[in-house]
Amino acid sequence: QVQLVESGGGLVQAGGSLRLSCAASGRTFSSYAMGWFRQAPGKEREFVAAITWRGGNTYYADSVKGRFTISRDNAENTMYLQMNSLKPEDTAVYYCAAPKGWGIVPVSADRVGSWGQGTQVTVSS
C-alpha cells in the first residue's frame, strides 16, 4: 500500500502559477507511474496529468496541455505538478494518484489504486 500526501495548493489570481507536490511512501515509488486528478464542486473527478515510472512519457488532459507540467524526482519519492497560466476553471481539489499495479498508467480513475487527501487550488478572476 502506498501513502500519498499533497501540498502546494492555495489561492492565486488568474494568470498566476502554483506548484503542487505529492510525497509518496510505503511502496517503491520509482517503479510506478503516477498521476494527478482534480475535482471541482458538483463535478466528477477528472484526469489532469500522468507520468511513467522513469518520467520518459507524460500524458495531459487537453484542458491543461501547454500550461501544466508533470515531473517526478524518484530519489525524493516526490511528484510535482507545475501549473502556469491558471484560469478560474482550474479551481478544484487536486489529488495525487497511484495506479493499481505495476505497468498501469493512471489516466482514468478506474486505474487508480490509491489517492492522496487532496489539496485545494482556487483561481480568482
Side-chain angles (χ1 to χ4, degrees):
Q1 192 73 3
V2 62
Q3 291 76 47
L4 305 170
V5 178
E6 303 94 335
S7 61
L11 173 64
V12 64
Q13 288 188 330
S17 299
L18 282 174
R19 189 174 84 152
L20 305 184
S21 298
C22 171
S25 62
R27 190 168 75 178
T28 307
F29 175 79
S30 59
S31 297
Y32 293 84
M34 295 289 294
W36 288 98
F37 286 71
R38 67 186 181 186
Q39 188 166 19
K43 295 188 177 181
E44 292 188 356
R45 194 168 298 189
E46 64 175 4
F47 168 73
V48 174
I51 186 167
T52 50
W53 65 290
R54 281 186 174 179
N57 289 301
T58 56
Y59 307 84
Y60 295 96
D62 288 343
S63 59
V64 307
K65 206 170 291 183
R67 300 187 297 120
F68 290 11
T69 302
I70 189 171
S71 62
R72 65 190 297 163
D73 183 341
N74 287 342
E76 296 294 329
N77 287 354
T78 303
M79 177 178 66
Y80 303 98
L81 185 68
Q82 178 66 44
M83 306 186 294
N84 298 330
S85 302
L86 282 161
K87 305 175 181 180
E89 51 263 45
D90 294 317
T91 295
V93 177
Y94 282 71
Y95 296 91
C96 177
K100 290 181 175 178
W102 186 86
I104 298 173
V105 181
V107 294
S108 59
D110 62 341
R111 296 186 178 194
V112 176
S114 298
W115 299 98
Q117 84 288 352
T119 186
Q120 176 71 47
V121 171
T122 303
V123 184
S124 64
S125 58

